[in-house]
């Protein structure tokens, strides 16, 4: 059931929800629901039918059970900082907003673990763990606003995922409510819980399998020493080669980020931290560990970058200067927003050895479509974030940006990569799913979905294309 014509009457559904939660926790008029019409990818919008903001697990269970009984679609939403339209509401269903679940249940300093509700902000968890000398490693650019529940749904990464892993590598257990209203917990207090690894199945499941109501994550001790280094290069190929050589030589930085010339110029004009605007590419490398480990690695990094042709190098003198160097990278998205009316942020992952080739091809695509592209990405694990600049007020420019983005994603697949690194598939990348996966693989995805949600009413129409969709896609590809 996905059309307005087959929806349960709005007032009837709203009344049913107010029998479960307080009337103030149910929204059904357009004015109050307008803030919920999209996620961070605002080009895709849909007004919710009814929005519900529960504050207890029992309420979530009751809402899910009711929707299952009456075949009402459910979309679970957190802070909606996602960039794939994964949290876009369904026109006929309930939008289940989990922001009231914002409590840190427990921090166990001895075990270096935390139990949190899904609405806890990513950065808030690290702030709460700081007095214990601990922090939560996955750190997406949106960490000031994004929530742990959303991080689980998208298997989020961030600057430090190269060394410390994505959300799935830091997730011990997940408690979620199934569409039938059943409360289930996957995983346990350690990474070696017996049985099938259903925790890994929930990470990146994009709200297709259930509503996360609690997660237990591992925390890490703050390193004794952290050192940040910035290096400029006269070509993206040289910078890409430096990344491959560094990691191939056995050095695994805590973070390793790359920006191209357009991104460098935009960030420097925005925050003025001293980036080399004459450089074609910039690497920001963070090392952590003991004093001796960092000193030894710093020498290796300097030698590697010089051998790769670095035209400039700057080593942060203290934590304040290190924070300034990172500020430009973390401000890259809003910086680009200052120089273009709109931009479309892509997310694909490629082998490190292909960085130079792929960035060269992206430049060619930029020229082909007549749209500038600024590249900001996690160089260490090959997770690209090309920002395609366009003006939505000009007819056809959005469609050109989408077509350019689609070509970038298929390019990622062509070189042995994938169409997503941490943003998810959602609605945005549905056209590329049949390009990367065979019918047999997609059928397996649907079988997993069916096992959890036989009616397919959890976040319907997202992430997993139907067989009909794939057949239509493949017929167009061969025309």
């Amino acid at each position: 059931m996905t059309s307005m014509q087959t929806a349960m009457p709005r007032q009837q559904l709203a009344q049913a929800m107010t029998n479960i939660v307080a009337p103030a926790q149910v929204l059904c008029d357009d004015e109050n629901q307008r803030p919920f019409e999209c996620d961070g990818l605002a080009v895709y919008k849909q007004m919710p039918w009814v929005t519900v903001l529960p504050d207890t697990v029992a309420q979530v269970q009751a809402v899910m059970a009711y929707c299952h009984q009456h075949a009402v679609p459910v979309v679970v939403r957190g802070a909606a900082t996602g960039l794939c339209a994964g949290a876009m509401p369904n026109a006929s269903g309930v939008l289940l907003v989990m922001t009231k679940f914002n409590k840190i249940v427990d921090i166990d300093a001895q075990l270096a673990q935390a139990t949190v509700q899904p609405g806890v902000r990513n950065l808030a968890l690290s702030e709460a763990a700081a007095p214990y000398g601990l922090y939560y490693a996955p750190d997406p650019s949106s960490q000031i606003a994004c929530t742990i529940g959303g991080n689980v749904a998208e298997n989020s990464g961030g600057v430090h995922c190269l060394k410390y892993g994505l959300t799935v590598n830091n997730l011990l257990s997940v408690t979620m409510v199934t569409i039938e209203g059943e409360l289930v917990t996957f995983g346990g207090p350690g990474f070696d819980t017996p049985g099938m690894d259903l925790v890994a199945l929930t990470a990146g499941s994009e709200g297709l399998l259930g509503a996360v109501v609690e997660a237990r994550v591992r925390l890490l001790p703050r390193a004794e020493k952290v050192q940040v280094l910035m290096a400029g290069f006269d070509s993206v190929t040289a910078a890409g080669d430096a990344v491959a050589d560094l990691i191939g030589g056995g050095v695994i930085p805590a973070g390793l980020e790359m920006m191209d010339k357009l991104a460098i110029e935009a960030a420097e004009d925005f925050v003025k931290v001293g980036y080399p605007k004459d450089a074609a590419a910039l690497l920001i490398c963070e090392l952590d560990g003991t004093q001796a480990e960092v000193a030894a690695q710093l020498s290796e990094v300097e030698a590697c970058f010089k051998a790769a042709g670095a035209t400039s190098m700057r080593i942060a003198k203290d934590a304040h200067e290190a924070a300034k160097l990172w500020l430009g990278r973390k401000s890259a998205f809003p910086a680009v927003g200052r120089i273009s009316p709109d931009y479309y942020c892509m997310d694909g992952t490629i082998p490190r050895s292909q960085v130079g080739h792929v960035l060269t091809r992206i430049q060619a695509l930029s020229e082909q479509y007549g749209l500038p592209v600024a590249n900001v990405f996690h160089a260490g694990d090959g997770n690209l974030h090309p920002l395609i600049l366009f003006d939505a007020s000009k007819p056809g420019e959005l469609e050109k940006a989408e077509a350019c983005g689609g070509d970038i994603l298929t390019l990622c697949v062509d070189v042995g990569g994938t169409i997503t690194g941490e943003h998810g598939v959602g609605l945005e990348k549905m056209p590329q799913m049949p390009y990367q996966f065979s019918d047999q693989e997609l059928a397996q995805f649907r079988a997993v979905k069916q096992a959890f949600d036989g009616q397919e009413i959890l976040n319907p129409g997202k992430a997993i294309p139907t067989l009909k969709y794939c057949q239509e896609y493949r017929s167009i590809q061969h025309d």
Side-chain angles (χ1 to χ4, degrees):
M1 182 185 67
T2 58
S3 68
M4 295 290 287
Q5 287 73 27
T6 57
M8 178 183 293
R10 176 178 281 181
Q11 290 303 321
Q12 180 183 340
L13 181 56
Q15 182 57 54
M17 295 298 102
T18 57
N19 292 335
I20 297 171
V21 302
Q25 293 169 252
V26 179
L27 308 175
C28 60
D29 62 292
D30 286 353
E31 181 178 357
N32 284 315
Q33 292 192 100
R34 185 71 64 185
F36 301 101
E37 67 181 354
C38 65
D39 63 9
L41 185 59
V43 296
Y44 295 99
K45 297 179 181 179
Q46 172 60 60
M47 285 293 293
W49 196 226
V50 172
T51 299
V52 182
L53 295 90
D55 56 17
T56 69
V57 173
Q59 289 175 352
V60 176
Q61 290 181 271
V63 170
M64 295 283 265
Y66 179 90
C67 290
H68 177 255
Q69 181 181 353
H70 297 277
V72 175
V74 181
V75 175
V76 183
R77 175 188 168 110
T81 57
L83 292 167
C84 68
M88 191 183 78
N90 184 279
S92 308
V94 166
L95 183 66
L96 192 64
V97 180
M98 302 296 289
T99 50
K100 290 180 178 289
F101 287 78
N102 59 2
K103 294 183 175 56
I104 297 174
V105 179
D106 171 62
I107 293 179
D108 189 323
Q110 281 193 314
L111 291 178
Q113 298 178 4
T115 302
V116 300
Q117 292 183 328
V120 171
R121 292 182 301 111
N122 179 289
L123 185 59
L125 176 54
S126 284
E127 290 172 342
Y132 305 98
L134 302 169
Y135 73 105
Y136 182 58
D139 56 347
S141 296
S142 58
Q143 68 174 152
I144 192 172
C146 68
T147 60
I148 299 299
N151 292 172
V152 172
E154 304 297 344
N155 194 21
S156 302
V159 168
H160 293 97
C161 68
L162 172 62
K163 187 171 184 178
Y164 297 113
L166 300 163
T167 297
V168 67
N169 306 114
N170 294 274
L171 193 59
L172 295 163
S173 70
V174 173
T175 299
M176 72 178 194
V177 176
T178 69
I179 190 59
E180 292 91 349
E182 182 183 2
L183 190 66
V184 296
T185 298
F186 302 140
F191 285 109
D192 56 352
T193 303
M196 291 187 290
D197 189 4
L198 296 177
V199 173
L201 188 64
T202 62
S205 57
E206 302 193 33
L208 271 68
L209 306 182
V212 174
V213 292
E214 191 172 275
R216 191 165 184 84
V217 300
R218 73 165 178 166
L219 302 173
L220 296 179
R222 290 286 179 185
E224 176 186 323
K225 173 70 174 177
V226 176
Q227 184 68 66
V228 176
L229 175 147
M230 176 182 73
F233 294 82
D234 59 8
S235 73
V236 292
T237 301
D241 290 344
V243 171
D245 292 344
L246 182 65
I247 296 175
V251 177
I252 306 297
L256 186 57
E257 300 288 297
M258 184 187 290
M259 301 166 65
D260 71 2
K261 187 172 182 61
L262 182 55
I264 294 167
E265 292 174 347
E268 178 60 20
D269 289 343
F270 184 36
V271 295
K272 297 178 174 56
V273 294
Y275 284 177
K277 293 177 70 173
D278 59 339
L282 178 71
L283 289 178
I284 302 175
C285 178
E286 180 176 295
L287 305 169
D288 67 354
T290 64
Q291 295 278 354
E293 286 173 334
V294 172
Q297 287 190 339
L298 183 60
S299 295
E300 292 183 63
V301 173
E302 287 184 277
C304 177
F305 286 0
K306 285 177 182 176
T311 54
S312 64
M313 209 171 308
R314 176 179 165 189
I315 300 172
K317 297 186 295 291
D318 52 33
H320 175 71
E321 186 176 0
K324 283 182 64 178
L325 294 180
W326 275 122
L327 178 62
R329 164 61 185 90
K330 288 185 174 288
S331 303
F333 287 12
V336 169
R338 293 174 71 243
I339 64 173
S340 176
D342 303 281
Y343 67 80
Y344 188 17
C345 178
M346 302 307 300
D347 166 54
T349 302
I350 60 173
R352 284 186 293 268
S353 61
Q354 297 293 319
V355 168
H357 167 68
V358 169
L359 290 182
T360 301
R361 286 287 301 121
I362 289 176
Q363 179 58 36
L365 288 170
S366 170
E367 294 170 2
Q368 175 186 330
Y369 284 97
L371 299 173
V373 178
N375 289 285
V376 183
F377 62 100
H378 310 310
D381 64 344
N383 186 192
L384 307 175
H385 292 315
L387 305 175
I388 305 169
L389 281 55
F390 71 101
D391 186 347
S393 67
K394 295 181 179 178
E397 283 225 340
L398 171 59
E399 290 73 18
K400 281 203 300 182
E402 290 179 309
C404 181
D407 285 350
I408 291 173
L409 294 179
T410 55
L411 170 63
C412 290
V413 176
D414 290 342
V415 299
T418 178
I419 61 173
T420 182
E422 58 180 342
H423 289 181
V425 175
L427 188 65
E428 176 208 19
K429 299 188 181 77
M430 287 279 278
Q432 287 76 43
M433 284 292 283
Y435 189 86
Q436 177 165 354
F437 298 104
S438 68
D439 287 346
Q440 290 79 11
E441 289 168 323
L442 292 172
Q444 190 63 53
F445 291 159
R446 287 192 293 272
V448 173
K449 166 71 169 168
Q450 281 277 328
F452 282 82
D453 175 23
Q455 296 179 344
E456 299 195 6
I457 56 176
L458 273 172
N459 212 5
K462 312 272 184 65
I464 306 173
T466 63
L467 181 59
K468 180 181 178 183
Y469 184 104
C470 295
Q471 289 172 338
E472 292 174 348
Y473 171 86
R474 298 192 202 289
S475 67
I476 292 172
Q477 291 296 104
H478 287 102
D479 284 348

